[in-house]
Amino acid sequence: MEQQTAVLDRSAIRDDRIVPKGKDEIDALTGVRGAAAVIVIAYHSYPAADFPYGISHLVARGYLAVDIFFVLSGFVMALTYGSMFRNRVTLPSFFTFLMRRVARLYPLYITFLALRIAYSLAVYGSLQVPGGWFAMNLPMPVKDIIANIFMIQSWGVAKAVTTPTWSISTEWGAYFVFPFIVGGILFRRTAYAMLSLLAAATLIIAAGALTGYDGMHHNGALDAYDGRTFIPMLRCLGGFTFGLLTYRLYQWPPARRCAASGIGWAVLAYLMLGLLLHLPDQLIYPAFPLLVLCLACDRGALARVFSCKPLMQLGVLSYTIYVIHNVWIGLIHWLIKHLPSTMPTVVAQTMSAVFLIASLYAVGHVLHHWVEVPGRSIVRRLGDRTVAWLRPQAQPRALSRG
């Protein structure tokens, strides 16, 4: 376990940048994370019709950017933690992994949740406030709050207090599965990987099919977001498994050479063409793991595009702005509605977009450096101390892979 922990430390995600062991930062993957965050924010904040032709098609399917997050998450977990579970899953390694993920997700998450609870109670005296800015409107306040505190709301349990956190809850669920499947997917025979590929595809197809029967509004087959059903979890697990498989392919030198040869532009062209032609979500989906694979090779013009400094900065702050951006939507809609009465529509829309980007970046920067980073350090120290206490008591037998 000591050797595995050392590998983990050298392969850390330094300052939210994706860094494989013994290599430079994979700038393009940090950048694509920033691009995906921008697409999600645009999708939630503006009607797609407000954008020029082509871009409007991208924004209209902006919910699919979350699937890029899922695939990227699986890839990064395999890159960073896969070797910990190559042979077996022990209690110390399992706990170390989960505490590292808690350290990454929880400080900002719980701070923002606490602020919304405090605001709702202080201003309205209730957690059932329809239409109140920053306030909550929870159908079952006690159940919903408890589920959200433990990040299990989107396991078919409850409503997400802050809407975007449904995906964080599903990723938290995927982290519990990860240690028991990653060894087989990365290090066993090819047949095991092929079965995993079939399982991942089945999960994505099932999620897309089931949205037609859940009685909710969806902008596309994979627009599954309400954690009171189990469909979002299927969507996440499918994408996460695709990410693990993408990393296995990345480890194969012929695949890396092929991915670095310029086919990333073809993948991106297929993705944009699929959006323009309104192809079904399930047909567009294969572009996501292929794009991650190509950008992971970090070579060529496409990698340089996604490695530009603005996207890199957004990639570093992507988790923060993703969690908090939902509370900006009402204000942006108000600006879009009222500013055109005092200035040309194009100017009003440009000003609202600049305000959205600048304010989210500023607030995100503050929260990242004053909440996320110090909170992460505190949780990691607590986790390391607990693992140090667990290790001498750990039994030599491994936990079952199930």
Side-chain angles (χ1 to χ4, degrees):
M1 179 63 193
E2 286 77 11
Q3 183 179 0
Q4 291 173 327
T5 303
V7 171
L8 169 64
D9 290 340
R10 290 196 299 269
S11 303
I13 304 175
R14 298 198 292 268
D15 196 22
D16 301 290
R17 294 177 170 86
I18 299 168
V19 188
K21 175 188 173 186
K23 296 184 180 179
D24 294 330
E25 174 183 332
I26 306 181
D27 294 348
L29 290 187
T30 303
V32 78
R33 191 167 59 187
V38 170
I39 293 170
V40 170
I41 292 167
Y43 169 72
H44 287 154
S45 303
Y46 292 94
D50 288 352
F51 293 86
Y53 182 80
I55 297 178
S56 63
H57 291 72
L58 175 62
V59 174
R61 307 282 280 280
Y63 57 88
L64 288 174
V66 177
D67 295 282
I68 297 178
F69 283 134
F70 291 150
V71 174
L72 187 57
S73 178
F75 183 93
V76 173
M77 292 305 100
L79 168 80
T80 311
Y81 301 103
S83 59
M84 288 180 66
F85 307 106
R86 178 167 188 154
N87 299 316
R88 61 178 185 169
V89 183
T90 64
L91 183 59
S93 65
F94 184 74
F95 188 82
T96 296
F97 169 70
L98 287 183
M99 287 303 296
R100 293 295 171 96
R101 303 321 300 152
V102 170
R104 177 68 179 92
L105 299 178
Y106 207 62
L108 174 70
Y109 174 94
I110 196 63
T111 299
F112 198 65
L113 177 61
L115 286 174
R116 295 200 66 186
I117 293 173
Y119 178 85
S120 298
L121 294 176
V123 176
Y124 297 98
S126 173
L127 296 177
Q128 295 176 306
V129 187
W133 179 82
F134 202 58
M136 298 179 173
N137 185 29
L138 304 179
M140 303 179 67
V142 174
K143 173 189 170 184
D144 293 342
I145 290 296
I146 291 174
N148 277 265
I149 287 174
F150 289 99
M151 293 194 296
I152 63 170
Q153 65 271 24
S154 294
W155 299 9
V157 176
K159 178 181 178 181
V161 168
T162 300
T163 304
T165 62
W166 71 263
S167 64
I168 297 169
S169 174
T170 59
E171 283 203 43
W172 178 234
Y175 295 152
F176 280 88
V177 178
F178 168 80
F180 301 98
I181 64 174
V182 66
I185 290 176
L186 296 188
F187 305 113
R188 287 189 187 174
R189 291 177 299 178
T190 303
Y192 191 97
M194 295 305 294
L195 286 174
S196 301
L197 176 62
L198 178 62
T202 300
L203 288 170
I204 294 300
I205 292 170
L210 290 172
T211 54
Y213 301 94
D214 63 4
M216 302 173 192
H217 171 75
H218 301 284
N219 291 321
L222 286 177
D223 185 25
Y225 53 86
D226 193 322
R228 288 172 292 187
T229 74
F230 206 68
I231 304 174
M233 183 64 79
L234 299 180
R235 177 186 178 188
C236 174
L237 289 173
F240 189 85
T241 304
F242 269 118
L244 299 179
L245 290 162
T246 302
Y247 183 70
R248 173 159 183 159
L249 201 56
Y250 173 77
Q251 291 180 300
W252 188 39
R256 284 204 304 275
R257 287 194 295 270
C258 181
S261 66
I263 67 167
W265 287 108
V267 173
L268 191 60
Y270 171 79
L271 176 57
M272 297 307 298
L273 187 63
L275 295 172
L276 288 172
L277 296 178
H278 302 284
L279 292 183
D281 292 349
Q282 294 91 332
L283 292 182
I284 293 175
Y285 202 98
F288 301 150
L290 289 175
L291 182 62
V292 168
L293 176 63
C294 293
L295 293 178
C297 294
D298 214 20
R299 296 179 185 172
L302 184 63
R304 288 195 294 273
V305 169
F306 282 97
S307 300
C308 68
K309 190 172 181 179
L311 284 180
M312 286 282 292
Q313 290 293 326
L314 286 170
V316 171
L317 299 178
S318 59
Y319 177 67
T320 310
I321 61 178
Y322 178 78
V323 170
I324 70 174
H325 81 270
N326 204 58
V327 301
W328 265 254
I329 293 175
L331 178 57
I332 294 300
H333 288 177
W334 186 90
L335 290 173
I336 293 173
K337 180 179 179 180
H338 291 88
L339 284 181
S341 63
T342 59
M343 61 186 70
T345 301
V346 173
V347 176
Q349 290 178 339
T350 302
M351 287 185 62
S352 67
V354 170
F355 169 78
L356 174 64
I357 294 169
S359 58
L360 268 177
Y361 182 87
V363 176
H365 191 271
V366 170
L367 290 175
H368 175 73
H369 287 286
W370 292 96
V371 177
E372 271 197 272
V373 173
R376 190 181 312 168
S377 298
I378 292 170
V379 175
R380 286 180 68 146
R381 285 198 298 269
L382 290 173
D384 290 344
R385 290 174 184 173
T386 305
V387 169
W389 177 81
L390 284 173
R391 190 174 291 121
Q393 302 180 45
Q395 298 300 316
R397 66 179 183 276
L399 297 176
S400 171
R401 286 192 185 277

